[in-house]
Amino acid sequence: MIWLLLVILFGLLLIGYPMMVPMIVAPLVVMWVYFPEVDPVVLVQQYYAGLDSFVLLAVPMFIFAADIMSAGKTSQRLLDFIGSFLGHLRGGYAITTAAACTLFGSISGSTQATVAAVGTPMRKKLLESGYKEKQAIPLIINASDLALMIPPSLAMIMYAVVTGTSVGELFIAGILPGIIIFLMFSVYSYLLAKHQNLVGNDHKATWQERLYAFRKALLPLGFPILIIGGIYSGFFSPTEAAAVSVAYAFILEVFVFKTIKIKGIPRIAESSAIVTAAVFILVAAGTSMSWILSYAKLPSGIIASVFGSEPSATYVLIVVAVAFFIGCMFVDPLVVILILTPIFFPVAETAGVDPIALGVIITLQAAIGSATPPFGVDIFTAVAVFNRPYAEIVKGTWPYILILLAASALFIIFPDIITIYQEFMPANPGGD
Amino acid sequence: LTETEIDEDGPDYIIRFAHEESTDSVQHDYVEAFKKTLENKTNHTVQVEIYPVGQLGDATEQAEQLQIGAIDMAIISPGNTGTMVPENQLFILHFLFSDDMEVNHHVLNNSKALDTLTEVYNEHGMLILDYWTQGFQQWTANVNISQPEDLRGARIRTIPSPLLLASYEAYGASPTPMAYEEVYSGLQLNMIDGQENPFFAIEEMNFFEVQDYLIDSRHAIYATTTAINPDFYDELPEDIQKAIEETVAQLSEESLNIQEERNETALESIKSQSHITFATLDDEERAAFREASEPVFEIYKEEVGETGAEILEELQEEIADVENDR
Amino acid sequence: MFQRLDDLFAKSEKIIISYSIIMMTVILLGNVLSRTIFNSSWAFAEELAQFFVLIVTFIGLSYAARHGRHLSMTALLEWMPYNSRKIVMSVITVTTAILMGYLTYLSFLFMFTVADLQRVTPALRIPMYFLVAVMPIGFFLTSIQYVRTFLRNVRKHSIHEGTEKIMNKEGGQS
Ligand code: NA
Ligand code: NA
């Protein structure tokens, strides 16, 4: 059964069908072949059920907020601010790119929004300072992965929807690993610049200029504080935080920076709505897929054959990481999380893996996979945004993927890095 | 065809039985016991496939799947299906049932009023084989709750049921609907001040860690139902129908013990793990709450209509009769 | 005449989905404000916001199909010679149209199931089948879009991914 499912899924995908088609057809065919007595209406019920989640509402809200900010000045101000501190260093622009992605990641929930918003201005600066296209774009798409690690994160929201863990806690847990990856990227950028003998900006910003850049970036920098602070002071739930961030972006861009006219908002909402629809139809179809897997009791079969009777936590994490990494190379990360998480979550819990640590590691794999050939979604975003050939972008990605895999190994071996925040705040058991 | 059906020595019938709770829960204990008893009773000509943890869907989705025929049986709690069968919302009413579980158990098993409710369920395509309980609903809160005034202004988490909201509004509280998985952090961050659940749930979700008072309030029972797809049931041979009936009757008795043991163990575990202040409502305090709840019974009757009103009134009489006999 | 009707649909779809996104925001924010300032939650906030999710997804389904915005992996397709590519795209659009037609039928059946159970939304007590009706409508509109895209592939020289999207010869996707 699993083979039938996979053949249909990848077959139709490779032919070039819209991704929703294989995801709708695969469960339908499994239903016809293995459960002919059951009415396939139940799959439609699952489309509805998949979308019937309050937490999921955060997805269109964060996309909307990111779209408003991308259309406005927020990302540029963040870049100027970071650039004023790092621009003059060796590899400074590369480090600035990574830092900007980290910061913009703390505003937007998605890697694609980060590629578009940070990538466009940064690519220009990277090229000016001597980087080649095949170095600049891979850096941008991989650094954008940090958007998923730093809260808010659409991948974490999806994981929380499926497992019933707390979104707020996942958000906190992703921060430290996100910063570690940022530092690894920075070190690599420095070494690369040294090797190629690239210099930074010849003008080192004065403290006066830095203060000016900081003041201009002050309001955008308030975003992460508002979101995390709001959630942790009990003012609003993570879903509501997403709506609050829309309001903040709106006020900033329309009334403070005056970069967008209020009449332009429906136009931005339209673009957010299309992205939401394209993702949510996959969420709907993915739910029907995950339902048919449960119905056929496949997960327990797979689990038994892959893990044996008493797998260690590390072994479980390795298998999970590999499965998600491979899955995200082909299919949208949100959908992979939707389908694979219910399969692995129970066994990981039994093996004593912390559900939050699992969520962060899965998020990291989703982030890596989405920038990994052949089908990582960020590669296609970059193709579209920068209008460069696919092959050129793919060629330069491997150093970053190696770095990210090293980071994954680090977190798998020492999951305490992820859960250390629990020392500072009481744990939430989650569950249902 | 599933593998078991291909197997020549395999069962003649497969019952797909879904429930919403974890594999370490009252519902799972019940369904496991059901499986064991029924399979033995039918010499394994019937096989029960268990789908736990709501892996096929939540209560309303399970009810829909019963209708579609994707599953054959399910444990479906009224609290979560009031949007389908509004009459069943009487199980949510505060201070309707007795604080003596033996009384409630007797009523659930012998009530004529609930037979009428079963007919209503039938109109919605569900055959109810049994009404049973998973324990009393209890309060946890930041303040001690001994009189309705204590709830004034308190934000109490509820499921999104208008009738439950009305119950808390009757005490002057501020009911706040919230997803189950967000309740712990909601309590921790003081987004909400209290919540209601049976002891087993309070223990499992660690709500006691972030609350100051645990009140043995018994303000409602956590009632649930064992439901079956009527078409599936009608097509079964008579001997198997009878076996199912007997199994359900037997489990009806066992469920009383299952819930009692689960809730007692949970309470002890809470007491041993925390310094939470434990309180109980005495008869006088219960009377004050019951009086405050009175208007909500009228709201129920108005909203749900004539059949619902008749069921409620008859049930109230039945409960009073059994209580008086004790 | 038909074109004008379609333009009207395109415009309505656009307005519906963009204002649904805006309404979601307004409802969620309103609930936060009401809870913080007046200490009272809007019981209807959740179900109303979720209704807009359904609208955005299923009306957006058609709108995204129109603009060829559904995620797809056209890497293999881009390597093919022009004529094979045109044939494959025609097959893709016509079979997708059929699938969407079938889903229209299935979601109608689901709507009837929900109507039979007489389920309503918890706070506003709106019949559930009313919300579910968005699904067959969305699948139906999407089916029409793919039929039209297929017809364009057959009739015109260019290759169409959506009614409003012509496939870039050089490759690439958005
Ligand atoms: Na759901
Ligand atoms: Na982020």
Side-chain angles (χ1 to χ4, degrees):
Chain A
M1 179 187 298
I2 192 78
W3 292 113
L4 178 68
L5 201 78
L6 290 175
V7 166
I8 296 171
L9 208 56
F10 287 111
L12 295 182
L13 198 66
L14 287 171
I15 294 171
Y17 272 95
M19 210 191 275
M20 63 177 169
V21 173
M23 299 204 34
I24 287 170
V25 171
L28 262 178
V29 172
V30 168
M31 201 79 178
W32 289 331
V33 173
Y34 292 95
F35 305 103
E37 78 282 6
V38 180
D39 194 333
V41 164
V42 70
L43 297 177
V44 176
Q45 181 212 31
Q46 288 306 305
Y47 304 159
Y48 180 88
L51 298 174
D52 185 21
S53 150
F54 187 64
V55 179
L56 207 58
L57 266 168
V59 174
M61 295 294 92
F62 278 128
I63 292 176
F64 191 25
D67 281 351
I68 294 176
M69 286 180 289
S70 305
K73 277 277 194 304
T74 305
S75 53
Q76 187 63 50
R77 283 174 188 240
L78 289 175
L79 282 180
D80 292 345
F81 166 62
I82 303 161
S84 75
F85 282 84
L86 303 175
H88 65 286
L89 297 175
R90 226 182 239 285
Y93 277 121
I95 299 173
T96 305
T97 304
C101 289
T102 314
L103 265 187
F104 196 78
S106 72
I107 296 174
S108 81
S110 81
T111 57
Q112 280 118 302
T114 312
V115 168
V118 178
T120 313
M122 266 337 276
R123 169 166 158 263
K124 219 172 103 207
K125 294 210 165 171
L126 285 168
L127 294 179
E128 278 168 14
S129 62
Y131 285 89
K132 301 189 188 80
E133 289 273 18
K134 68 167 190 206
Q135 292 167 329
I137 299 178
L139 169 67
I140 290 168
I141 59 176
N142 282 287
S144 299
D145 294 347
L146 290 172
L148 282 186
M149 298 299 293
I150 303 287
S153 159
L154 299 189
M156 288 177 180
I157 292 170
M158 191 59 77
Y159 175 84
V161 167
V162 177
T163 59
T165 37
S166 151
V167 180
E169 238 186 288
L170 282 162
F171 279 5
I172 290 284
I175 295 174
L176 184 61
I179 292 174
I180 291 175
I181 295 170
F182 161 68
L183 292 176
M184 291 167 91
F185 276 6
S186 302
V187 170
Y188 172 75
S189 298
Y190 176 77
L191 294 177
L192 181 75
K194 204 170 166 184
H195 176 73
Q196 296 190 339
N197 207 16
L198 295 173
V199 289
N201 195 342
D202 42 12
H203 169 71
K204 183 176 169 179
T206 63
W207 278 103
Q208 211 171 4
E209 285 168 321
R210 285 175 184 175
L211 188 66
Y212 177 73
F214 173 70
R215 282 221 311 265
K216 292 202 77 163
L218 194 60
L219 286 172
L221 285 172
F223 253 106
I225 299 165
L226 179 78
I227 290 170
I228 300 293
I231 295 173
Y232 280 87
S233 58
F235 267 113
F236 36 73
S237 68
T239 307
E240 291 166 341
V244 171
S245 71
V246 172
Y248 194 71
F250 175 77
I251 293 169
L252 232 55
E253 300 290 358
V254 174
F255 296 113
V256 182
F257 302 159
K258 296 193 168 61
T259 43
I260 301 173
K261 291 214 162 55
I262 201 159
K263 276 200 306 210
I265 292 294
R267 174 97 217 153
I268 297 174
E270 178 200 334
S271 133
S272 314
I274 292 181
V275 175
T276 304
V279 172
F280 275 12
I281 192 65
L282 299 182
V283 170
T287 309
S288 76
M289 182 111 74
S290 128
W291 186 89
I292 197 86
L293 291 177
S294 299
Y295 195 64
K297 295 201 170 254
L298 264 183
S300 40
I302 296 173
I303 293 301
S305 62
V306 175
F307 292 108
S309 56
E310 274 182 27
S312 73
T314 309
Y315 178 60
V316 171
L317 280 176
I318 291 172
V319 173
V320 168
V322 170
F324 276 81
F325 174 67
I326 295 175
C328 293
M329 281 162 56
F330 293 93
V331 188
D332 192 85
L334 297 187
V335 176
V336 176
I337 290 174
L338 195 72
I339 295 171
L340 291 187
T341 306
I343 299 180
F344 290 112
F345 187 70
V347 69
E349 261 196 323
T350 318
V353 178
D354 183 281
I356 299 291
L358 182 71
V360 170
I361 286 169
I362 284 176
T363 303
L364 179 58
Q365 302 316 313
I368 305 173
S370 57
T372 305
F375 293 132
V377 283
D378 287 347
I379 300 177
F380 291 99
T381 313
V383 168
V385 173
F386 306 128
N387 208 11
R388 300 295 304 178
Y390 173 87
E392 177 188 284
I393 296 175
V394 167
K395 257 182 226 152
T397 53
W398 63 267
Y400 298 100
I401 291 172
L402 286 184
I403 294 175
L404 288 165
L405 290 178
S408 309
L410 179 73
F411 301 142
I412 289 172
I413 299 168
F414 305 107
D416 291 352
I417 299 175
I418 302 170
T419 49
I420 191 133
Y421 74 94
Q422 289 168 357
E423 301 288 319
F424 308 103
M425 60 176 288
N428 178 340
D432 200 325
Chain B
L1 290 177
T2 53
E3 266 174 52
T4 35
E5 276 174 293
I6 297 163
D7 187 355
E8 276 179 25
D9 304 324
D12 302 333
Y13 299 93
I14 291 183
I15 294 180
R16 297 191 175 101
F17 200 149
H19 72 79
E20 261 198 295
E21 295 184 349
S22 75
T23 48
D24 182 19
S25 67
V26 178
Q27 291 190 2
H28 199 70
D29 288 354
Y30 178 100
V31 181
E32 291 242 283
F34 179 89
K35 175 184 166 77
K36 207 170 139 208
T37 315
L38 183 66
E39 287 181 353
N40 283 334
K41 223 183 248 296
T42 58
N43 279 325
H44 294 267
T45 53
V46 173
Q47 183 185 324
V48 179
E49 291 274 0
I50 305 176
Y51 294 93
V53 220
Q55 56 180 223
L56 298 184
D58 62 22
T60 42
E61 289 164 32
Q62 286 177 9
E64 284 167 7
Q65 287 169 18
L66 274 183
Q67 180 100 337
I68 294 167
I71 55 174
D72 311 306
M73 290 185 74
I75 306 286
I76 297 181
S77 300
N80 301 326
T81 49
T83 52
M84 282 179 183
V85 187
E87 289 83 354
N88 75 19
Q89 294 294 286
L90 59 86
F91 287 112
I92 283 185
L93 290 170
H94 283 185
F95 299 96
L96 165 64
F97 280 91
S98 165
D99 59 346
D100 180 347
M101 199 51 106
E102 297 277 344
V103 171
N104 299 330
H105 179 66
H106 189 270
V107 171
L108 289 179
N109 279 342
N110 303 294
S111 164
K112 292 254 172 357
L114 292 182
D115 290 344
T116 318
L117 183 60
T118 302
E119 284 165 28
V120 178
Y121 266 105
N122 243 319
E123 289 163 20
H124 294 266
M126 276 180 274
L127 176 57
I128 301 300
L129 297 177
D130 194 24
Y131 299 90
W132 51 286
T133 168
Q134 295 183 229
F136 286 110
Q137 291 280 35
Q138 316 281 16
W139 281 318
T140 66
N142 291 333
V143 291
N144 190 12
I145 303 169
S146 61
Q147 49 180 350
E149 288 71 32
D150 295 331
L151 278 165
R152 187 157 294 156
R155 286 159 302 180
I156 306 295
R157 179 266 172 176
T158 66
I159 54 172
S161 151
L163 202 66
L164 193 56
L165 265 69
S167 291
Y168 283 102
E169 277 160 5
Y171 307 138
S174 168
T176 310
M178 185 182 278
Y180 190 50
E181 56 265 31
E182 298 295 336
V183 175
Y184 182 92
S185 58
L187 291 171
Q188 187 180 28
L189 302 168
N190 292 323
M191 200 170 159
I192 42 175
D193 305 312
Q195 60 87 41
E196 58 164 46
N197 258 304
F199 288 142
F200 75 83
I202 294 169
E203 198 262 350
E204 191 184 9
M205 296 298 282
N206 294 358
F207 295 152
F208 62 91
E209 292 178 355
V210 285
Q211 295 272 266
D212 298 327
Y213 290 89
L214 175 63
I215 298 110
D216 187 354
S217 53
R218 309 186 178 198
H219 57 271
I221 58 170
Y222 191 106
T224 196
T225 68
T226 303
I228 191 165
N229 174 348
D231 297 334
F232 173 80
Y233 187 74
D234 288 344
E235 281 165 24
L236 288 173
E238 239 169 75
D239 58 325
I240 291 181
Q241 286 183 349
K242 193 159 162 273
I244 292 177
E245 239 171 69
E246 285 169 13
T247 308
V248 168
Q250 188 180 328
L251 278 178
S252 183
E253 295 309 313
E254 266 179 57
S255 69
L256 185 68
N257 301 328
I258 292 176
Q259 67 81 20
E260 193 174 285
E261 202 184 303
R262 282 263 172 198
N263 284 306
E264 266 174 23
T265 318
L267 180 59
E268 257 149 49
S269 154
I270 293 172
K271 283 178 171 170
S272 70
Q273 282 183 64
S274 75
H275 299 291
I276 197 162
T277 310
F278 184 75
T280 40
L281 293 185
D282 62 30
D283 286 344
E284 207 174 307
E285 289 161 345
R286 292 183 64 81
F289 273 107
R290 185 172 297 128
E291 199 184 337
S293 301
E294 213 60 52
V296 186
F297 286 62
E298 296 310 312
I299 296 176
Y300 168 87
K301 288 177 192 169
E302 270 168 42
E303 300 257 309
V304 170
E306 216 172 301
T307 319
E310 281 165 20
I311 296 174
L312 177 59
E313 276 162 14
E314 192 176 355
L315 189 66
Q316 279 177 303
E317 280 169 31
E318 288 170 344
I319 295 168
D321 286 349
V322 180
E323 264 186 331
N324 290 337
D325 288 349
R326 298 232 151 204
Chain C
M1 161 66 198
F2 188 71
Q3 185 60 44
R4 214 179 291 163
L5 187 72
D6 185 62
D7 288 346
L8 184 73
F9 264 95
K11 201 161 179 204
S12 328
E13 284 172 10
K14 182 166 108 179
I15 292 173
I16 290 172
I17 59 171
S18 35
Y19 280 90
S20 295
I21 291 277
I22 294 172
M23 284 307 295
M24 269 180 219
T25 320
V26 171
I27 292 165
L28 290 175
L29 281 175
N31 194 25
V32 175
L33 290 179
S34 168
R35 193 182 53 235
T36 318
I37 301 171
F38 305 110
N39 200 22
S40 102
S41 291
W42 294 351
F44 60 86
E46 186 170 337
E47 62 191 62
L48 211 55
Q50 247 146 26
F51 182 43
F52 287 117
V53 166
L54 279 183
I55 293 177
V56 166
T57 306
F58 289 98
I59 303 300
L61 184 70
S62 162
Y63 195 67
R66 198 182 276 279
H67 292 275
R69 287 286 296 273
H70 283 292
L71 301 170
S72 61
M73 302 302 177
T74 48
L76 206 65
L77 211 56
E78 280 156 18
W79 283 341
M80 291 183 186
Y82 186 83
N83 283 336
S84 340
R85 212 192 315 166
K86 192 165 171 65
I87 292 169
V88 172
M89 194 50 91
S90 306
V91 172
I92 286 178
T93 45
V94 75
T95 45
T96 307
I98 294 169
L99 176 69
M100 292 297 136
Y102 179 59
L103 291 178
T104 309
Y105 163 74
L106 276 190
S107 49
F108 253 120
L109 292 186
F110 177 55
M111 196 177 94
F112 292 135
T113 308
V114 173
D116 272 353
L117 283 166
Q118 301 164 41
R119 189 174 154 201
V120 296
T121 66
L124 298 173
R125 309 230 134 232
I126 301 167
M128 215 61 177
Y129 68 83
F130 182 78
L131 310 195
V132 171
V134 175
M135 297 173 77
I137 293 172
F139 282 129
F140 178 69
L141 293 175
T142 312
S143 178
I144 289 180
Q145 287 312 316
Y146 278 107
V147 168
R148 294 183 60 222
T149 312
F150 166 69
L151 291 177
R152 280 186 195 199
N153 278 319
V154 173
R155 285 194 197 137
K156 298 196 176 171
H157 187 65
S158 42
I159 300 178
H160 289 257
E161 274 187 88
T163 26
E164 310 291 325
K165 185 171 177 214
I166 297 174
M167 196 175 177
N168 181 351
K169 222 178 167 178
E170 258 32 82
Q173 66 162 49
S174 54

